[in-house]
Amino acid sequence: MAKIITDVVCPFCGTLCDDLEVKVSDDGKEILEVYNACVIGTEKFLHSQAEDRLTVPMKQDEEGNWNEVSIDEAVDYTAQMLCNAKKPLMYGWSSTNCEAQSAGHEIAELCGAVVDNTATVCHGTTLIAVQDVGVPSCTLGEVKNRADRIVFWGCNPAHAHPRHMSRYSIFPRGFFTGKGHKARKMVVVDPRSTDTAKMADLHMQIEQGRDYELLSALRVAIRGNPLPETVAGIPRETIQDVAETLKSGRFVVIFFGMGVTQSLSKNHNIDIAIALTRDLNDYTKAAIMPMRGHYNVTGSGQVLGWQFGFPFCVDLSRGFARYNPGDSTSNDLLRRGEVDAVFVLGSDPGAHFPISSVKKIAQLPSVCVDPHYTPTSAVCKLHMPTAFVGVEEGGCAYRMDNVPIETRKVVEPPEGMLSDEGFLERVLARVKEIKGVA
Amino acid sequence: MAEYLIKNGFVFDPVLGINGDKVDIAIKDGKIVQSTEIKNPTVVDAAGKTVMAGGVDIHAHVAGPKVNVGRNYRPEDKLFTYEPGKGVKRMAGGFSVPTVFRTGYKYAQMGYTTVMEAAMPPLYARHTHEEMRDTPILDQGAYPVFGNNWFVLEYLKNHEVENTAAYISWLLRTTRGYAIKIVNPGGTEAWGWGLNCNSIHDPVPYFDITPAQIMKGLMDANEALRLPHSVHIHTNNLGNPGNYETTLDTFKLFQGEKPNNDFGREQVMHHTHVQFHSYGGDSWANVESKADEIMNYVNNNDNMTMDLGCVTLDETTTMTADGPFEHHLTELNHLKWANTDVELETAAGVVPYIYSPNIKVCGIQWAIGLELGLLAKDPMRVFITTDHPNAGPFFRYPRVMKWLMSQDAREAQMDALKWAEKVRSATLLSGLDRELTLYEIAAMTRAGTAKALGLSHMYGSLKPGLEADVAVYDYNPETAEDPELIEKAFGNAAYLFKGGEIVVKEGEVVSNGNKKTLWVDAKVAENPQVQRDIAEKFMRYYTVTQANYEVNEKVFMKNPYRIEVDATQ
Ligand code: SF4
């Protein structure tokens, strides 16, 4: 007899759908089916059952051969590495729970590490913009219940957040939005003709990298001031039309993704997108929200915030927390050769960082904690496999609108396998021993 | 557990009526006991020092989503504040929105042991609890906000107090909340459409109910539930010239109402940060103090309590569930603005603010906060707060005490204001020569607050049987002349005992204590209709499932402490 676990939270993307149902085998060891999730979410669950999954720590010797080691050895290597380093980098944190993040922070504090999360290569620019101008926002339920004007800017939820439109933004019928998508106007700004753009009432096919200009033009249009004939490849009339559409809405939401956070102008794009949202509040109600990617990258920023006061790239190496994006950010540190050990958990910089950074990791003492063998493992000295958070381990995660949800454990991890938090607690204990602190 | 005897201190305890007498305080097993009950105590010499129960803060914003927005979006707030970790202490920093560690240490250094988080958005209850869990030393609880909650608006529109109470009972249990908080009733829901309710009779868009009905209805439900604390109100029209009338209208809603509870609470409503609600005039050009009219009402109606919300003339970070107010503020000062509207429940905004001594209005606000305290006839009902961090950071309480206790200190500050004469003429402060005593301060910071919270069986006094939360200050009331000594001593407790353990010794934090998280479990008769309504709203309008809404004590709370109430009768 299989059993069905309900209200399961998907630990893949920032949409953090919490209505999944997972059918597991009677002994609680195997996932048979995943209901309600999108394909990527389903894949995340099924992936935990993959045959090629590592279950024992592996260490690379001088010649580059991988050998199995015990968990004790893995704990000790990690603790020694962090204690011996002058300025270790502890990177990732986005695919794990807040409890593990918290344990990691305590280690980082004792070892004088830099703690950085994946915002450093995605929405870090957003966090900087928020420090400049703030952010008028809301929860996703407000979008569902009130919003009648939806803008997707530089993002493609149809692929990256597949259930976003059906759960929250375009299709659902909410309290004041009984007509669902029929009463919503959807605007997409994207140089590509994405599957999201194809669904839009209005697609502004902007010239690549001209976001700042178009956002600026929209602010001008909203005030009714004159515009040149085209801006960023978009005709004046279209811009005015979009401005009117937004102003005439009862509740406007702008969702934006890495198409604007990581294109030219970076945080300045977000500054002005937020300024546009502010402006709209003089005419109607408007909110703006980043489409955060990893399911708990938002949580990493939150835990760092309440423990150290900054949302990413927090440098603890001097005994107090410093924050200086562009300086204390992972890639800057790696490329300048400023860190002397690298610890990665809950992300895969080997696949996503520039090759110059990855080469540096390969030259340093390094540990990768991940349920799977990843490109990051390939360049690290030690690979420590752990349980899947959100599948084999519960714990808190923050959705893209900062709403915290407790993820659920649905199956047992392979025998003897530690959770991220469990591993970090062991490392913490060892670090305290080495440092001789109580 | 260790036994202690705190000897020879000048004790101030309004509950026991001890006013500066030299009384020895004995501690055993985490509780205050009679001196005869201890055998082999460690003796703490408090000769020449002031001894009080641990401080109890009834209203501060110290944990949760808006507080963390304040931290994360103000890196500048950390400048020059960071202290490295040492001994039991983690590294800690931040000025107006300190990190959780700094919050715990700073309160402890002021001799405070219990601090209530004044506004918890229910959907973000986990976040609030996670921060409280990580805050060392302090016993804490959080007030979920109810004044714009759709369930409440709909039930009260139909005068269904029983259903409202059943819903409140469910929400307090589900979010592990402590009391009913109301912020800009109806106005924050209106803010969902960019609107507001400016008086207590402005109808809430769509919901067809007024703020007055919301506040009164929630009070009825609060008393029906027999909760330890009363409704905790931040009324409409905060921060606007002429708003004292709205405040008085709010007070009058509760005139003659009687409390119903077994916790010794005597008020039916607490009004918070009254300073922000006591303005006369009709523009910023002619704004003036109406503290006298406000306090006249408070002094004559003993079924209410209030706190001050004193402006401390600092740069700070304002944050409130009064969404429209924060938008109004950012239009005024053009500084950065964060806002979050929370589905079916509430909203919140955050805007930095500089209370400059060079700005007339700031001077007037500063004076009003103090006037309210000085005009209070019953210090057991009027409490010191800064609405941290809204009118100033909590660690300025010792400075506020100095101003309240010394006319010289007030005048010195008044003289330092750029528009001193204008402030004098728009306020009453210079005409008030009252200087509060330590006995009155003890009432305003521990005995009174503990009682108003329904926690006088645990905190606020040195009566045997209570929690052994004791603060010892290096302040000799017989010899101290210089008012600066007040600020210095009360910001640097010589000793703090928390639950019978020493957590501060000679101004240094030496233990993280054994904090508790307080919540109220009010049982009501089964109510299938409310259960159905909850299920339906979750299915149709929330974006999390009902099963994923409840705060899991094991994961999110440190030492949960449940206060049970039986309202099934
Ligand atoms: S949209 Fe995101 S959270 Fe939802 S099921 Fe798909 S991957 Fe998971």
Side-chain angles (χ1 to χ4, degrees):
Chain A
M1 260 299 285
K3 58 178 176 189
I4 298 219
I5 304 173
T6 60
D7 302 287
V8 174
V9 186
C10 172
F12 188 81
C13 85
T15 310
L16 219 58
C17 302
D18 72 332
D19 59 345
L20 274 48
E21 298 191 349
V22 179
K23 192 174 182 186
V24 296
S25 63
D26 204 19
D27 59 3
K29 287 199 174 133
E30 201 189 338
I31 296 175
L32 304 173
E33 304 255 16
V34 181
Y35 304 107
N36 296 348
C38 69
V39 282
I40 40 179
T42 306
E43 197 46 39
K44 170 112 193 189
F45 280 90
L46 297 178
H47 207 91
S48 69
Q49 320 265 304
E51 299 277 307
D52 65 345
R53 181 171 172 185
L54 299 181
T55 49
V56 270
M58 304 279 284
K59 202 158 160 264
Q60 253 193 87
D61 62 21
E62 309 265 295
E63 278 82 52
N65 302 314
W66 289 95
N67 302 304
E68 286 188 8
V69 293
S70 69
I71 289 181
D72 285 347
E73 283 172 85
V75 167
D76 188 60
Y77 175 85
T78 309
Q80 296 284 1
M81 175 189 91
L82 292 168
C83 289
N84 291 335
K86 282 205 182 72
K87 189 171 181 174
L89 170 64
M90 297 180 76
Y91 174 75
W93 309 111
S94 299
S95 295
T96 192
N97 57 24
C98 296
E99 293 76 9
Q101 291 161 357
S102 209
H105 296 173
E106 210 173 334
I107 298 171
E109 191 173 328
L110 286 169
C111 297
V114 179
V115 185
D116 197 8
N117 58 40
T118 55
T120 210
V121 287
C122 58
H123 278 283
T125 50
T126 306
L127 300 169
I128 297 168
V130 170
Q131 286 157 357
D132 290 340
V133 286
V135 60
S137 195
C138 62
T139 67
L140 289 163
E142 285 289 275
V143 180
K144 168 173 156 178
N145 289 315
R146 292 186 209 265
D148 58 350
R149 299 289 184 269
I150 314 284
V151 181
F152 289 111
W153 198 301
C155 57
N156 184 11
H159 289 189
H161 300 85
R163 296 184 71 214
H164 190 280
M165 288 188 282
S166 58
R167 265 175 77 83
Y168 313 123
S169 48
I170 301 294
F171 298 107
R173 294 161 196 266
F175 193 80
F176 295 105
T177 50
K179 292 205 175 96
H181 77 283
K182 291 200 192 78
R184 289 191 171 101
K185 284 252 181 327
M186 174 177 174
V187 178
V188 171
V189 187
D190 204 308
R192 305 169 301 169
S193 178
T194 59
D195 285 340
T196 308
K198 285 180 194 136
M199 294 166 57
D201 294 291
L202 241 161
H203 175 200
M204 291 206 274
Q205 200 157 8
I206 183 179
E207 285 171 11
Q208 176 91 40
R210 296 289 186 89
D211 304 276
Y212 193 92
E213 281 126 289
L214 188 55
L215 285 157
S216 189
L218 273 170
R219 294 186 73 189
V220 171
I222 278 164
R223 290 175 189 164
N225 288 333
L227 283 173
E229 227 166 274
T230 60
V231 178
I234 310 293
R236 174 186 0 191
E237 291 68 32
T238 310
I239 297 170
Q240 284 164 340
D241 190 20
V242 170
E244 239 356 273
T245 303
L246 299 184
K247 266 169 83 172
S248 65
R250 289 193 305 176
F251 194 113
V252 182
V253 188
I254 302 173
F255 292 103
F256 63 98
M258 281 174 65
V260 254
T261 65
Q262 295 299 327
S263 68
L264 286 174
S265 308
K266 298 217 162 180
N267 55 304
H268 302 286
N269 286 333
I270 314 309
D271 266 13
I272 195 158
I274 295 169
L276 168 68
T277 316
R278 263 187 88 122
D279 290 357
L280 281 166
N281 273 285
D282 291 341
Y283 304 94
T284 180
K285 180 75 184 206
I288 182 165
M289 197 186 299
M291 298 287 271
R292 305 296 303 264
H294 283 75
Y295 75 96
N296 198 25
V297 58
T298 311
S300 171
Q302 294 290 355
V303 184
L304 281 171
W306 77 68
Q307 297 191 344
F308 301 116
F310 308 107
F312 74 117
C313 67
V314 185
D315 177 354
L316 307 173
S317 65
R318 296 195 190 177
F320 54 93
R322 294 165 73 237
Y323 162 83
N324 195 10
D327 169 17
S328 61
T329 20
S330 300
N331 281 298
D332 302 277
L333 291 166
L334 285 166
R335 294 172 70 167
R336 286 199 312 268
E338 257 190 54
V339 286
D340 50 356
V342 179
F343 172 91
V344 179
L345 181 149
S347 171
D348 186 7
H352 301 113
F353 275 11
I355 189 66
S356 51
S357 296
V358 180
K359 279 184 178 159
K360 294 279 185 182
I361 299 176
Q363 290 158 10
L364 293 170
S366 44
V367 173
C368 171
V369 183
D370 201 296
H372 284 285
Y373 189 85
T374 66
T376 305
S377 338
V379 294
C380 283
K381 306 294 166 300
L382 175 82
H383 179 97
M384 172 68 203
T386 45
F388 269 80
V389 178
V391 180
E392 298 163 345
E393 167 79 5
C396 189
Y398 283 68
R399 200 166 68 183
M400 61 166 70
D401 55 356
N402 296 304
V403 170
I405 305 181
E406 189 188 351
T407 62
R408 284 164 192 264
K409 169 178 178 162
V410 292
V411 279
E412 290 298 329
E415 194 132 324
M417 186 137 263
L418 292 175
S419 63
D420 289 343
E421 186 192 3
F423 176 66
L424 288 163
E425 288 294 351
R426 297 264 307 261
V427 173
L428 176 62
R430 184 75 190 105
V431 164
K432 284 185 174 169
E433 263 171 39
I434 297 168
K435 299 242 168 203
V437 293
Chain B
M1 243 180 155
E3 296 179 340
Y4 291 100
L5 188 64
I6 304 164
K7 277 186 85 76
N8 296 323
F10 299 101
V11 173
F12 295 88
D13 186 335
V15 173
L16 293 173
I18 304 175
N19 187 0
D21 301 340
K22 286 189 186 158
V23 179
D24 294 347
I25 305 297
I27 293 173
K28 186 184 171 183
D29 295 337
K31 301 270 193 257
I32 308 276
V33 294
Q34 303 285 4
S35 317
T36 49
E37 282 183 42
I38 51 175
K39 294 192 184 67
N40 192 17
T42 306
V43 174
V44 172
D45 181 16
K49 296 185 169 58
T50 291
V51 179
M52 292 183 184
V56 178
D57 195 345
I58 198 164
H59 186 107
H61 302 279
V62 286
K66 65 187 177 312
V67 183
N68 222 27
V69 165
R71 293 188 189 103
N72 269 344
Y73 100 143
R74 293 206 68 198
E76 67 275 16
D77 193 62
K78 259 67 72 181
L79 268 183
F80 312 124
T81 61
Y82 243 100
E83 286 175 41
K86 194 177 150 206
V88 300
K89 283 166 75 179
R90 299 281 297 269
M91 64 169 75
F95 183 77
S96 63
V97 254
T99 62
V100 290
F101 306 117
R102 190 167 163 94
T103 300
Y105 307 148
K106 278 271 169 196
Y107 264 113
Q109 283 169 327
M110 297 195 315
Y112 274 65
T113 44
T114 306
V115 177
M116 292 304 198
E117 161 54 49
M120 170 164 81
L123 186 59
Y124 288 91
R126 286 191 189 90
H127 182 159
T128 311
H129 281 291
E130 282 190 287
E131 287 199 23
M132 293 199 293
R133 180 193 64 200
D134 284 3
T135 306
I137 302 166
L138 306 174
D139 288 354
Q140 289 182 293
Y143 312 152
V145 286
F146 283 95
N148 296 280
N149 181 299
W150 287 4
F151 290 90
V152 168
L153 300 186
E154 287 179 354
Y155 288 139
L156 289 180
K157 168 163 80 180
N158 301 323
H159 310 285
E160 297 170 13
V161 171
E162 207 182 308
N163 288 342
T164 312
Y167 170 74
I168 291 167
S169 144
W170 175 82
L171 193 89
L172 287 177
R173 188 173 316 123
T174 309
T175 63
R176 302 295 188 258
Y178 188 81
I180 299 175
K181 175 71 184 296
I182 304 170
V183 181
N184 188 1
T188 298
E189 164 52 34
W191 176 239
W193 304 120
L195 307 169
N196 197 0
C197 295
N198 289 314
S199 84
I200 65 167
H201 303 300
D202 257 13
V204 185
Y206 173 80
F207 285 95
D208 196 23
I209 187 172
T210 64
Q213 289 170 300
I214 299 169
M215 290 189 279
K216 189 67 189 342
L218 282 170
M219 184 218 81
D220 289 339
N222 196 105
E223 301 311 321
L225 285 168
R226 314 164 62 81
L227 297 181
H229 189 35
S230 60
V231 284
H232 192 109
I233 295 178
H234 148 167
T235 195
N236 309 80
N237 209 8
L238 172 141
N240 290 325
N243 68 359
Y244 80 103
E245 293 187 24
T246 312
T247 313
L248 288 175
D249 287 347
T250 304
F251 289 175
K252 285 175 191 157
L253 278 177
F254 301 92
Q255 201 153 33
E257 298 286 350
K258 299 250 175 339
N260 177 27
N261 69 99
D262 302 324
F263 293 89
R265 151 176 73 86
E266 289 181 51
Q267 87 278 12
V268 295
M269 80 102 139
H270 175 86
H271 200 296
T272 188
H273 43 65
V274 174
Q275 178 275 128
F276 286 117
H277 303 266
S278 305
Y279 305 155
D282 56 22
S283 77
W284 291 118
N286 66 10
V287 66
E288 58 176 352
S289 171
K290 287 288 179 185
D292 48 347
E293 297 212 24
I294 294 287
M295 290 316 292
N296 192 28
Y297 184 93
V298 176
N299 288 336
N300 287 314
N301 289 273
D302 59 10
N303 68 346
M304 68 168 291
T305 55
M306 59 168 268
D307 64 84
L308 303 177
C310 284
V311 162
T312 63
L313 300 168
D314 284 290
E315 174 177 328
T316 192
T317 312
T318 69
M319 51 183 66
T320 167
D322 194 335
F325 170 75
E326 292 290 353
H327 182 247
H328 174 73
L329 194 62
T330 191
E331 298 275 283
L332 209 68
N333 73 4
H334 302 291
L335 296 179
K336 54 193 173 188
W337 169 52
N339 174 82
T340 300
D341 290 4
V342 183
E343 60 208 58
L344 288 80
E345 294 178 353
T346 181
V350 185
V351 176
Y353 200 82
I354 300 165
Y355 292 96
S356 166
N358 296 335
I359 294 174
K360 184 191 77 174
V361 172
C362 298
I364 293 173
Q365 291 175 307
W366 166 76
I368 293 174
L370 300 176
E371 287 166 11
L372 295 167
L374 294 167
L375 291 168
K377 290 219 172 111
D378 181 1
M380 284 294 283
R381 295 194 291 116
V382 179
F383 314 130
I384 294 176
T385 62
T386 59
D387 185 20
H388 165 83
N390 284 302
F394 68 81
F395 48 83
R396 294 290 192 231
Y397 289 179
R399 190 170 289 177
V400 172
M401 288 166 54
K402 172 184 76 180
W403 286 326
L404 290 170
M405 290 174 68
S406 158
Q407 196 186 10
D408 283 352
R410 296 197 288 271
E411 277 305 312
Q413 179 59 61
M414 183 72 92
D415 289 341
L417 299 176
K418 181 167 177 187
W419 305 102
E421 285 322 305
K422 289 196 169 168
V423 172
R424 279 200 173 89
S425 68
T427 63
L428 327 155
L429 189 63
S430 281
L432 300 175
D433 58 5
R434 182 171 173 195
E435 297 190 328
L436 295 184
T437 63
L438 285 172
Y439 189 75
E440 289 167 322
I441 293 290
M444 293 171 122
T445 55
R446 39 270 279 167
T449 44
K451 182 176 176 189
L453 285 165
L455 290 172
S456 51
H457 59 295
M458 293 171 75
Y459 309 125
S461 160
L462 299 167
K463 198 163 74 177
L466 268 56
E467 297 288 303
D469 296 355
V470 189
V472 180
Y473 299 104
D474 204 353
Y475 186 81
N476 186 329
E478 284 181 345
T479 60
E481 299 266 315
D482 181 2
E484 294 307 318
L485 271 179
I486 300 169
E487 184 173 344
K488 186 157 175 261
F490 287 86
N492 298 280
Y495 288 92
L496 179 69
F497 294 82
K498 165 76 178 54
E501 193 182 330
I502 295 189
V503 292
V504 173
K505 196 173 181 177
E506 279 140 31
E508 269 300 310
V509 173
V510 294
S511 161
N512 287 315
N514 191 14
K515 79 166 296 154
K516 287 192 277 293
T517 314
L518 309 159
W519 68 279
V520 172
D521 189 2
K523 284 190 188 48
V524 291
E526 218 171 284
N527 188 321
Q529 188 197 326
V530 170
Q531 290 309 324
R532 240 189 347 263
D533 292 345
I534 292 170
E536 196 213 306
K537 283 248 187 328
F538 271 92
M539 186 113 76
R540 299 179 62 170
Y541 307 125
Y542 267 109
T543 53
V544 296
T545 68
Q546 190 182 339
N548 282 323
Y549 194 73
E550 180 160 6
V551 173
N552 177 343
E553 284 195 354
K554 282 203 198 83
V555 177
F556 295 95
M557 296 170 82
K558 193 151 208 184
N559 283 332
Y561 186 94
R562 183 163 66 135
I563 296 176
E564 281 184 68
V565 188
D566 187 356
T568 50
Q569 268 55 279

